[in-house]
Amino acid sequence: MQPSTRRWLNERIDLHVAISVGVAWFVLYTIGAELEPAPNRSEPAIGVALGVTLVAMFVAALVGLGMRRRWGVGLSLVAASTLTFMSVMCPVSGHHTFGSWWYGQMACALGLVGISLWALAHPGVSRTGEAPRFEEPRHEEPRREESRREDPRREDVRDLR
């Protein structure tokens, strides 16, 4: 039986997975930002709004990763997708000229998307460090009184007939 979405997002993730995603964000985001050339013109208002949203999602994802919860990885995926969209729109809007820097920045953004997808696919862990086991639902056994009445082999039931 599959867990509910809420339960799945609240699952604990492995410490190494959380650290890997967090370090990947710091490294790849820094490299991608350093590759950008000087802007041609000011950033459009939508770019500023997306940038503020990206920072908020990044901080929230780091909180989730620090708590070792799967929802932190989910936010990492949303933030990485937003970063990819921003990287595509940067030269399209005319904020920067298109150049070879863009390929490096796209590689960093898509790398963050890939790492987030890998971390989401990674199994969660329980408090003891084991992968969670989802048990089949248990079926209730018939009550003792009901089984006495229906069992034809029992002597006390035969007397009642």
Side-chain angles (χ1 to χ4, degrees), residues 13 16 42 48 54 62 65 73 78 81 86 93 96-97 101 106 115 122 126 129 141 150 152 158:
I13 58 173
H16 297 99
S42 63
V48 173
L54 177 67
L62 285 181
L65 292 170
V73 179
V78 174
S81 300
M86 290 174 66
S93 69
H96 289 102
T97 57
W101 64 271
M106 283 302 293
I115 289 168
H122 203 274
S126 67
E141 294 294 323
E150 296 173 5
R158 286 187 206 152

Side-chain angles (χ1 to χ4, degrees), residues 102-115:
W102 184 79
Y103 294 105
Q105 190 175 54
M106 283 302 293
C108 291
L110 291 174
L112 287 171
V113 170
I115 289 168

Side-chain angles (χ1 to χ4, degrees), residues 32-40 90 95-102 105:
E34 290 299 318
L35 290 173
E36 279 188 3
N40 288 342
C90 203
H95 177 65
H96 289 102
T97 57
F98 183 79
S100 59
W101 64 271
W102 184 79
Q105 190 175 54

Side-chain angles (χ1 to χ4, degrees), residues 41-120:
R41 59 182 181 159
S42 63
E43 191 165 2
I46 188 71
V48 173
L50 282 173
V52 170
T53 304
L54 177 67
V55 169
M57 284 188 289
F58 172 66
V59 169
L62 285 181
V63 168
L65 292 170
M67 294 173 58
R68 293 178 51 199
R69 299 288 185 222
R70 192 175 298 278
W71 60 263
V73 179
L75 275 174
S76 172
L77 178 62
V78 174
S81 300
T82 303
L83 179 63
T84 303
F85 176 75
M86 290 174 66
S87 297
V88 168
M89 292 309 296
C90 203
V92 170
S93 69
H95 177 65
H96 289 102
T97 57
F98 183 79
S100 59
W101 64 271
W102 184 79
Y103 294 105
Q105 190 175 54
M106 283 302 293
C108 291
L110 291 174
L112 287 171
V113 170
I115 289 168
S116 298
L117 286 172
W118 165 80
L120 275 177

